[in-house]
Amino acid sequence: MAGPSSTPQLDQLPPEMLDFTLLKTAGALAPRLGRFALPGRKPILTPGFLSNTSRGVVPHISQDNFRRNPAFNGVYVALEDFVEKFPQKTPPIFEYDVPETLRRFIALPKDSPIILGARRSPPIPSPVANTNTEVGLLTSVGFRSISSEYYAAAVRKLQPDIVVGLADIPFGQESVGLKRKDKMSDRTETWTRDIIAKRNTLDSEDPKFSIFAPILPIERDLQSWYLDHLVDDMLDKIQGIAIYDAYIMEDLPDELHPFPRLSFHNPSSPHDLLRQINLGIDLFTIPFINTATDSGIALNFTFPSPQKVFDASSTRQSLGIDMWHASLATDVTPLSENCPCDACTKHHKAYIQHLLSAKEMLGWVLIQMHNHAVLTSFFTTIRASISAGTFEEDIKAFEAYYEPQLPEKTGQGPRLRGYQFKSESHAEKGKKNPKAFRKLGEEEVRALQEEAARRKEKKDVVDDEAMVGLVGMDGVDGNVAVNALPGEGVDGLEMADDTPEKI
Amino acid sequence: MAPVHIPSALSFELLGKCSVTKARAATLHLPHGTVPLPIFMPVATQASLKGLTPEQLEETGCKLCLNNTYHLGLKPGQATLDAVGGAHKFQSWPHNILTDSGGFQMVSLLKLAKITEEGVRFLSPHDGSPMLLTPEHSIALQNSIGSDIIMQLDDVLVTTSPDLARMKEAMERSVRWLDRCIQAHKYPERQNLFCIIQGGLDLELRRQCTAEMVARDTPGIAIGGLSGGEAKDAYCKVVDTCTGLLPEKKPRYVMGVGYPEDLVVSVALGADMFDCVWPTRTARFGNAITAHGVLNLRNAMYSTDFGPIEEGCTCSCCRSVEDGGLGITRAYIYHVTAKETAGAHLLTMHNVQYQLNLMKSIREAILEDRYPKFLKEFFGKLYDAKSQYPEWAVTALKGVGVDLME
């Protein structure tokens, strides 16, 4: 099993390790094609992407749908989603006594690669500052910190295919002082050595995880000690690198070029992805897929763009369709023409628009499937374009054809959870989740009646428009106050206490 | 109005009867395929079963689900349903759909609703203007939905209402409204209209209503107005009384029933079809239905329980990886429930499949004429001791020849 072709030391690695083959490269700062293969897992062709998970699941995609759908393969998982009980209690997952604990716990198929990192992608800034030995996390019950030793032990127990080394990055901090940057580099080096040391303690029959060393989002000379040591001491110990700022790639030591590059530089748009690919990034987690899904936006773009428009004055096409839009209510066409996903081949815009406006969870399920399919074909055609040598040109056409950013969110997303936003104490910024239903007060009802009386015309049919108001008037769940009655509440995922009768 | 004969778009094939209780096993042939009876129908209120795709719903074994006319009338609305070509096409569901009349939601959701002979009169909370839902309008909506089984608009009253005169009025009005529904029904050759027997908990009223409804000869018959918080004893008496008067060759649907023990007892009392939101609704709160009772998987005791949701369950969540399933553990459900929508999807699949499996094993037991034994085993599993058996179930089953206590 060969490692990167120019680093023969990797030949001695045990067979569990990652095999990354560069198929086409034009030197530094250029797009490249590769094949990323782990024994027993489906290979990932690069440039490519991993599905971002939340609490072990691609948001809205239950594990059976994940298996059913070819757009899903590798996943990125964050340890912070599993350790909220630490340190008061052993996090439950560590008590699961099976091989490949993480994979079994999150019910991921056998052949899907898992990359584990400490933080979600993107991480929510933690007010718990990193220290020489600890990294601040955000869990569903609050901020925590874990030590480098704890992280290494967790990785050993969970057995991901690949682990991203701990990086000392003060997320959310606008400007970072010189001294702090020095510390970032020192700590990251120590922590990278820790995880390597941990792997060295594994028994020979233990499955070995691959290690991706973080490259810090700071200038090269401020992390040159770390990078030099990486090259001198650790080159045969790491299997890839994690990039937090795609624009420092030009400073990357040559020795690191053969390694696969996973980007945590959060891309804001497809254009941003193209720019990063153009700098030589191989693998992505793409947070905007899920942001778009939660906003009810069905991505709708192809690469190369359908037409090569270079006329800057013509109107640019939108990168996605806001499925909340009422004009789609009778549109029986698929989300995107020729899209092979289930949402497009089995359903239509009218249904998906209905699901969103009725706040049915299936709306997000279908859009999420679709959005992953759109990105899957985006990457397929990007690889074809790089292979054909037309990438630069195709990017230009893409930029000319599409708007630079995804459409703004207009509709309401699913309920936000504590681990999805930063809570700010003392800051009364209003509710993250609007109140689902409210009752009209007697006065409001009276006012409505009076108003109706003024309007002489009398309707005697039930029209849809008027009935819409019913939902606002009272919880649609009202009818199930008595549990066992036909008609189900509309709220997607209620939090209130159900009081099941003892059966 | 004189009864009119209406055509039927179903055929009811009675396959077996329990030799002790009133339980029956049958096959119901509907426009979108065949369904086994007795059956539990999950409720896809707004043309979607709580996060599941039609394929996932199909995988639980479901061949007949509910949509709510009231909700579909709101969203997407009749015009859209007409434009798209009905609810099957709208939600890409190739199997059968049953819709209610919308009247129940009107009354239960809308405190200002007033029932008149014309229909359900209410003030639109949208603009306060007077609105009216008539039997004709309900049927027109259901014709647009295109459901395989449609329900008459009925005058629904809380069963526990003490006002006997009003109860009698509601019952008689429901009969008159059935006649209007039959008149208004445009597609009797492809949609089956079911009548709904009303009459509260008064057995005499129920008898009269049953006689009137049966005379109208609808393809199927529902017993309505129950499951509204009445005593279970009274519920059982009503079901028992009605089924005793119903023709053998027609499906009997008891509306709004879904707790497992209600299902097994109601089948013993001669009912065939049931629906309830409880299994899917309770799934979203982290509650798993099992043969040994309901488990609230949000309880911290499950955070390190790495067994399946229910040992031996054949749903895709519970089956092990080795067995081609997902191998979902209780601990994982604990980890995601109420946090990720997918957690709700997983438990919804399990709960729906539990209900359908329960009905399947009921059917097998009836066909093999061992339903009394099945009932004893069922209660034996659900409770630790006979002393815990609910009295109403013991009494109701004794009435049809099964003594759980022996």
Side-chain angles (χ1 to χ4, degrees):
Chain A
M1 188 80 15
S5 44
S6 61
T7 44
Q9 303 99 303
L10 295 190
D11 284 349
Q12 285 123 42
L13 287 173
E16 289 89 353
M17 291 294 182
L18 169 68
D19 174 33
F20 181 66
T21 318
L22 277 173
L23 306 171
K24 178 175 178 174
T25 173
L29 289 179
R32 55 192 209 167
L33 294 174
R35 186 173 180 276
F36 182 97
L38 288 151
R41 316 282 183 236
K42 274 185 282 183
I44 300 174
L45 294 175
T46 62
F49 72 104
L50 304 162
S51 294
N52 221 347
T53 62
S54 179
R55 299 187 79 74
V57 66
V58 179
H60 313 299
I61 304 295
S62 58
Q63 282 74 358
D64 56 327
N65 274 336
F66 185 98
R67 281 163 175 73
R68 226 175 251 139
N69 200 312
F72 299 108
N73 182 17
V75 295
Y76 175 72
V77 179
L79 183 66
E80 67 184 353
D81 281 350
F82 298 87
V83 293
E84 59 254 38
K85 299 259 155 108
F86 174 80
Q88 290 81 5
K89 234 188 117 193
T90 307
I93 190 170
F94 297 137
E95 293 185 27
Y96 194 15
D97 195 17
V98 288
E100 291 207 63
T101 310
L102 178 58
R103 178 179 304 274
R104 287 292 288 264
F105 187 69
I106 66 175
L108 194 77
K110 267 188 157 42
D111 55 2
S112 289
I114 303 185
I115 300 192
L116 179 75
R119 309 287 329 261
R120 291 163 70 96
S121 170
I124 288 157
S126 170
V128 179
N130 297 342
T131 67
N132 282 341
T133 51
E134 302 213 311
V135 165
L137 304 180
L138 169 65
T139 73
S140 65
V141 297
F143 299 103
R144 296 277 181 274
S145 59
I146 53 162
S147 67
S148 173
E149 287 74 35
Y150 189 86
Y151 186 59
V155 170
R156 179 178 181 179
K157 167 68 186 155
L158 297 181
Q159 297 178 11
D161 295 315
I162 295 168
V163 61
V164 179
L166 281 187
D168 178 27
I169 302 172
F171 292 110
Q173 209 164 304
E174 288 282 313
S175 64
V176 181
L178 271 185
K179 268 197 178 158
R180 182 71 184 86
K181 286 182 178 169
D182 259 356
K183 246 191 228 166
M184 285 170 68
S185 160
D186 288 351
R187 287 173 180 170
T188 304
E189 172 169 348
T190 309
W191 297 344
T192 307
R193 288 184 190 275
D194 284 348
I195 192 90
I196 290 171
K198 184 60 154 195
R199 192 176 57 193
N200 288 340
T201 67
L202 295 181
D203 294 336
S204 53
E205 65 270 20
D206 277 343
K208 301 275 187 296
F209 49 85
S210 297
I211 296 172
F212 276 25
I215 305 296
L216 297 168
I218 54 177
E219 304 85 320
R220 167 150 188 187
D221 30 327
L222 291 172
Q223 57 178 324
S224 60
W225 275 89
Y226 167 51
L227 293 179
D228 288 350
H229 291 156
L230 210 50
V231 168
D232 295 343
D233 306 343
M234 295 180 258
L235 209 55
D236 57 344
K237 307 290 196 304
I238 62 168
Q239 286 69 43
I241 53 177
I243 306 274
Y244 289 83
D245 177 358
Y247 294 98
I248 61 145
M249 295 251 290
E250 54 183 319
D251 294 336
L252 214 58
D254 290 348
E255 291 83 349
L256 292 176
H257 281 167
F259 290 90
R261 302 156 178 171
L262 168 63
S263 172
F264 287 106
H265 181 161
N266 188 359
S268 64
S269 62
H271 307 281
D272 211 2
L273 282 174
L274 293 171
R275 282 191 281 276
Q276 292 195 37
I277 291 166
N278 215 10
L279 293 170
I281 295 286
D282 303 306
L283 267 179
F284 296 88
T285 65
I286 308 177
F288 75 67
I289 301 180
N290 194 49
T291 316
T293 300
D294 281 355
S295 310
I297 289 166
L299 299 177
N300 186 31
F301 52 84
T302 56
F303 189 84
S305 48
Q307 290 165 350
K308 310 223 174 223
V309 192
F310 289 102
D311 176 11
S313 62
S314 61
T315 345
R316 294 191 184 178
Q317 298 296 308
S318 172
L319 291 161
I321 305 164
D322 183 352
M323 292 306 301
W324 280 90
H325 225 277
S327 63
L328 303 171
T330 52
D331 187 338
V332 290
T333 62
L335 296 175
S336 301
E337 293 298 330
N338 307 319
C339 176
C341 82
D342 277 2
C344 288
T345 54
K346 297 184 174 149
H347 300 281
H348 41 66
K349 291 194 190 106
Y351 184 49
I352 293 167
Q353 198 276 342
H354 160 76
L355 292 171
L356 284 182
S357 68
K359 298 202 193 72
E360 280 286 341
M361 289 183 277
L362 185 59
W364 296 303
V365 173
L366 295 177
I367 297 176
Q368 184 79 311
M369 286 179 182
H370 170 76
N371 286 350
H372 277 80
V374 168
L375 265 297
T376 299
S377 43
F378 185 61
F379 277 94
T380 303
T381 48
I382 283 171
R383 291 191 298 269
S385 164
I386 296 172
S387 173
T390 56
F391 193 52
E392 284 284 349
E393 190 184 314
D394 291 336
I395 292 179
K396 277 197 194 106
F398 187 87
E399 285 174 347
Y401 188 77
Y402 290 108
E403 284 175 357
Q405 291 299 333
L406 293 166
E408 289 287 325
K409 170 182 173 170
T410 61
Q412 204 184 315
R415 289 186 71 89
L416 280 178
R417 304 285 162 230
Y419 49 91
Q420 294 169 325
F421 60 89
K422 188 183 177 186
S423 58
E424 286 153 61
S425 53
H426 312 300
E428 292 289 324
K429 292 211 167 167
K431 284 198 167 166
K432 292 287 172 190
N433 299 303
K435 215 174 158 198
F437 304 114
R438 71 186 181 99
K439 281 189 179 161
L440 289 183
E442 276 183 27
E443 288 199 1
E444 282 172 281
V445 172
R446 206 174 305 123
L448 285 172
Q449 288 172 350
E450 282 165 10
E451 193 189 303
R454 277 196 301 276
R455 300 164 21 140
K456 298 258 158 61
E457 77 226 276
K458 178 187 165 186
K459 294 185 198 167
D460 65 349
V461 288
V462 177
D463 71 60
D464 302 331
E465 195 194 12
M467 287 176 86
V468 168
L470 298 185
V471 178
M473 172 149 183
D474 197 345
V476 177
D477 266 357
N479 63 326
V480 271
V482 181
N483 261 338
L485 290 170
E488 188 156 4
V490 267
D491 195 0
L493 192 64
E494 297 112 310
M495 290 301 104
D497 259 315
D498 193 22
T499 43
E501 287 170 23
K502 169 65 191 142
I503 295 220
Chain B
M1 178 182 284
V4 279
H5 176 77
I6 59 167
S8 165
L10 62 77
S11 73
F12 178 84
E13 193 184 343
L14 188 61
L15 297 178
K17 291 200 288 185
C18 173
S19 57
V20 179
T21 70
K22 291 161 81 180
R24 313 123 44 92
T27 297
L28 187 61
H29 301 274
L30 287 168
H32 285 83
T34 290
V35 299
L37 298 188
I39 193 172
F40 175 80
M41 304 174 284
V43 184
T45 308
Q46 312 192 83
S48 147
L49 194 92
K50 298 304 157 193
L52 303 197
T53 63
E55 294 76 44
Q56 284 174 300
L57 180 56
E58 205 167 31
E59 206 156 87
T60 66
C62 177
K63 295 285 162 63
L64 169 56
C65 72
L66 248 81
N67 281 177
N68 284 120
T69 299
Y70 167 81
H71 291 97
L72 293 193
L74 284 177
K75 283 173 188 164
Q78 191 168 13
T80 301
L81 287 164
D82 284 336
V84 172
H88 292 88
K89 279 189 186 155
F90 185 65
Q91 62 202 296
S92 305
W93 176 246
H95 307 292
N96 296 289
I97 298 173
L98 181 151
T99 44
D100 65 352
S101 64
F104 175 78
Q105 272 81 15
M106 282 286 163
V107 177
S108 67
L109 295 186
L110 210 62
K111 300 195 172 60
L112 301 174
K114 219 163 129 193
I115 299 189
T116 68
E117 191 56 31
E118 262 182 293
V120 184
R121 203 171 268 290
F122 60 100
L123 294 175
S124 158
H126 184 60
D127 59 4
S129 59
M131 311 282 293
L132 187 63
L133 176 74
T134 63
E136 290 76 18
H137 191 262
S138 168
I139 295 300
L141 260 174
Q142 297 188 72
N143 282 157
S144 291
I145 290 169
S147 34
D148 304 89
I149 297 175
I150 67 177
M151 304 304 299
Q152 74 156 107
L153 184 71
D154 53 349
D155 184 352
V156 195
L157 212 58
V158 216
T159 38
T160 46
S161 167
D163 186 347
L164 189 66
R166 172 68 184 98
M167 194 61 88
K168 187 168 193 299
E169 184 195 23
M171 181 276 275
E172 287 167 349
R173 178 171 292 144
S174 293
V175 176
R176 291 193 295 273
W177 281 3
L178 172 61
D179 289 329
R180 283 167 61 187
C181 288
I182 293 172
Q183 284 292 324
H185 186 15
K186 275 190 289 183
Y187 310 118
E189 70 297 340
R190 57 175 198 257
Q191 291 183 284
N192 298 288
L193 173 63
F194 280 30
C195 62
I196 305 177
I197 300 171
Q198 290 293 347
L201 300 179
D202 187 295
L203 299 182
E204 189 41 44
L205 281 186
R206 287 282 180 176
R207 281 191 200 99
Q208 289 173 21
C209 191
T210 305
E212 290 290 338
M213 294 295 185
V214 167
R216 266 74 179 174
D217 197 27
T218 52
I221 295 152
I223 304 173
L226 294 172
S227 260
E230 71 280 353
K232 290 279 176 82
D233 279 315
Y235 161 84
C236 290
K237 278 185 192 138
V238 170
V239 174
D240 191 28
T241 303
C242 293
T243 59
L245 300 169
L246 292 177
E248 189 172 64
K249 294 289 177 66
K250 283 190 180 176
R252 305 152 176 184
Y253 165 29
V254 181
M255 303 175 79
V257 169
Y259 294 138
E261 55 203 318
D262 295 8
L263 294 174
V264 298
V265 172
S266 303
V267 167
L269 298 178
D272 308 313
M273 301 169 68
F274 310 91
D275 78 286
C276 187
V277 300
W278 171 75
T280 45
R281 182 178 159 78
T282 207
R284 300 200 296 283
F285 300 114
N287 293 316
I289 312 174
T290 78
H292 298 279
V294 176
L295 310 177
N296 184 347
L297 297 181
R298 284 195 303 168
N299 188 314
M301 66 186 278
Y302 297 111
S303 66
T304 53
D305 185 338
F306 300 105
I309 302 165
E310 178 173 27
E311 203 67 60
C313 171
T314 55
C315 84
S316 44
C317 299
C318 291
R319 276 199 331 272
S320 68
V321 177
E322 293 69 28
D323 210 5
L326 299 173
I328 298 284
T329 59
R330 292 173 175 181
Y332 185 68
I333 297 288
Y334 173 86
H335 184 71
V336 287
T337 197
K339 293 205 167 73
E340 290 297 330
T341 59
H345 306 163
L346 293 170
L347 263 192
T348 301
M349 284 192 277
H350 168 82
N351 282 357
V352 170
Q353 183 134 0
Y354 175 87
Q355 298 284 95
L356 296 182
N357 278 352
L358 174 65
M359 299 317 280
K360 195 171 152 195
S361 46
I362 288 174
R363 190 169 190 263
E364 279 161 12
I366 298 168
L367 286 172
E368 291 163 19
D369 201 11
R370 51 176 176 79
Y371 194 56
K373 189 162 163 269
F374 175 93
L375 286 166
K376 286 174 188 165
E377 286 166 1
F378 174 87
F379 281 96
K381 264 190 227 167
L382 193 53
Y383 293 98
D384 297 330
K386 284 189 175 169
S387 57
Q388 296 169 344
Y389 289 8
E391 228 180 289
W392 65 267
V394 174
T395 312
L397 290 175
K398 205 178 266 172
V400 286
V402 179
D403 185 1
L404 288 181
M405 293 315 206
E406 84 188 2

